[in-house]
Amino acid sequence: MTLNIHSSEDARRIAQRRLPWMVFDYIDGAAGRETGAARNRAAFDALTLRPRILRDVSQRDLTSSVFGQKTNAPFGISPMGMCNLSGAGADLMLARLAARENVPLGVSTVASTAMEPLIEAAEGNAWFQLYFSGDGVGTFKLVERAKAAGYETIVLTVDVAEVGRRPRELRHGFTMPFKIGPKQFIDFALHPRWSLTSLYAGKPQMANFDMDGYDFDRTESRAKADWDTLRRLRDMWPGNLVVKGVLDAEDAVALKGAGVDAVQVSSHGSRQLDSAPAPILELAKIRAAVGADYPLFYDTGLRSGEDVVKAYHQGANFTFFGRILQFAIAAGGEEGLQELWNVLRSETSITLAQIGERTLIKDA
Ligand SMILES: Cc1cc2nc3c(=O)[nH]c(=O)nc-3n(C[C@H](O)[C@H](O)[C@H](O)COP(=O)(O)O)c2cc1C
């Protein structure tokens, strides 16, 4: 069956029809008046790619690499909390995709499936994303647990000192853990396909918090984290350490100096600070500041293969897609996800041909 997903916008449109309003707006929404999202989109659109001709681009290679490991695609899967809201079993669909494509799956602190089955389904292609929370006691327990589960890469997300206000989700009364009041009941009743499968499969939960009496409050302040927290994490984590949510060149240079293995330039999909600068433009500045050889990853606002190529041209060594993957699942389950992934691969490959390049890997 083909679902007619020919672009990420198609996936979003179908998802909007199928998802309860509350769930769609939780996934799609951004901070404040959503000017940050618009600013980044406008910046992407203003960047151009120059067509080049007659270069024999018949053999093109979409592989890339992260931490010395070859990936089949030049993009991976951003960590996202509560993915099973987009469809029952969504986390595992993303994990199986990561296994097939040999790309990293970001496993969120607030994932709706526990970290152990996810790294197993991803056949090792999983990175654990860490939120520092409260006084940090539970946070460091999670680090030990990730180590025991076989994770080799940890991603510390630093752009959520406080959770940004996202009016679209707030208006629907979106809370975690999930509460179903009269308003939500009507919303779910009007989207029976989603409700029957998702709620029947069990109300999505934050699955990493059934241990040691440690609970996670999504709205609890994460503001206590500082450079000492980072040093402590660096000392206790022998594997790769990525810091995600960086938009400032001075911060990136300091992270490099603190022994962080890679920086992920991101504005959290424009869900945090509405007035943040366009991350795709900061990427080039950060690349200039950290030098040519330091690993830089990019996410936020990627909607197509052309966007991926632009991010590599701005200095990224690897990129990550976020919400559009959830829209593909909402639109068509695991098939929908694969269909969108194929579209993104195809768009990237065709773009390379048009600009006379065979690969995204520098010096390849
Ligand atoms: C529904 C949703 C949940 C998210 N949850 C997390 C999370 O738990 N941890 C995290 O580091 N980032 C989280 N993010 C941010 C993503 O990792 C990523 O930065 C962002 O989605 C990329 O932008 P894009 O959606 O425009 O591609 C979330 C994003 C969305 C849309």
Side-chain angles (χ1 to χ4, degrees), residues 36-336:
R39 188 175 312 111
N40 195 42
R41 185 64 254 160
F44 261 112
D45 292 341
L47 289 171
T48 57
L49 297 167
R50 182 176 301 272
R52 298 301 304 269
I53 59 169
L54 299 174
R55 289 180 162 203
D56 186 356
V57 285
S58 55
Q59 301 294 322
R60 297 183 301 279
D61 181 5
L62 287 187
T63 62
S64 187
S65 73
V66 272
F67 296 131
Q69 283 208 348
K70 195 170 164 186
T71 61
N72 291 344
F75 38 76
I77 304 162
S78 267
M80 287 179 284
M82 302 307 300
C83 286
N84 286 357
L85 285 173
S86 59
D91 282 317
L92 286 168
M93 293 176 198
L94 292 167
R96 288 191 287 267
L97 176 64
R100 288 196 297 279
E101 291 287 296
N102 229 30
V103 297
L105 163 77
V107 173
S108 167
T109 290
V110 290
S112 42
T113 304
M115 64 170 95
E116 292 82 3
L118 284 179
I119 192 168
E120 198 184 320
E123 294 170 15
N125 295 288
W127 296 358
F128 185 68
Q129 178 269 320
L130 186 70
Y131 276 132
F132 180 87
S133 186
D135 60 4
V137 174
T139 306
F140 290 108
K141 276 192 199 165
L142 276 179
V143 176
E144 293 298 346
R145 181 169 158 196
K147 203 187 289 179
Y151 283 83
E152 289 173 3
T153 300
I154 222 162
V155 179
L156 177 70
T157 298
V158 291
D159 56 6
V160 189
E162 298 289 353
V163 177
R165 290 184 64 83
R166 301 161 199 155
R168 278 207 264 158
E169 71 177 51
L170 293 171
R171 263 177 231 131
H172 293 296
F174 183 88
T175 55
M176 267 305 144
F178 212 46
K179 289 194 195 82
I180 304 177
K183 202 166 156 186
Q184 288 80 19
F185 186 82
I186 296 170
D187 191 2
F188 292 162
L190 290 172
H191 298 92
R193 186 207 293 247
W194 179 92
S195 305
L196 288 173
T197 51
S198 294
L199 298 180
Y200 183 73
K203 219 164 58 162
Q205 310 277 359
M206 292 186 286
N208 284 324
F209 296 98
D210 49 1
M211 31 81 88
D212 300 340
Y214 167 55
D215 222 355
F216 189 85
D217 177 356
R218 178 172 177 260
T219 59
E220 184 178 43
S221 176
R222 305 170 198 183
K224 275 210 172 89
D226 62 9
W227 289 90
D228 280 337
T229 316
L230 179 73
R231 269 187 286 277
R232 192 168 156 203
L233 181 62
R234 179 66 289 182
D235 287 347
M236 76 185 285
W237 184 255
N240 302 311
L241 175 59
V242 182
V243 172
K244 170 175 180 281
V246 178
L247 288 173
D248 181 85
E250 205 178 293
D251 284 345
V253 170
L255 289 167
K256 181 183 173 188
V260 167
D261 299 296
V263 160
Q264 187 147 332
V265 176
S266 163
S267 70
H268 212 100
S270 307
R271 293 162 78 81
Q272 285 297 106
L273 180 67
D274 197 14
S275 302
I280 189 62
L281 300 182
E282 297 313 300
L283 173 59
K285 296 179 202 162
I286 291 173
R287 168 55 73 205
V290 296
D293 298 328
Y294 187 71
L296 277 186
F297 307 148
Y298 179 85
D299 76 65
T300 294
L302 296 169
R303 297 292 176 265
S304 68
E306 290 200 13
D307 287 349
V308 168
V309 174
K310 288 178 187 180
Y312 273 79
H313 280 194
Q314 296 295 102
N317 299 105
F318 202 71
T319 58
F320 291 86
F321 283 105
R323 41 165 86 73
I324 62 171
L325 302 177
Q326 290 204 62
F327 290 146
I329 292 171
E334 196 150 12
E335 272 176 66

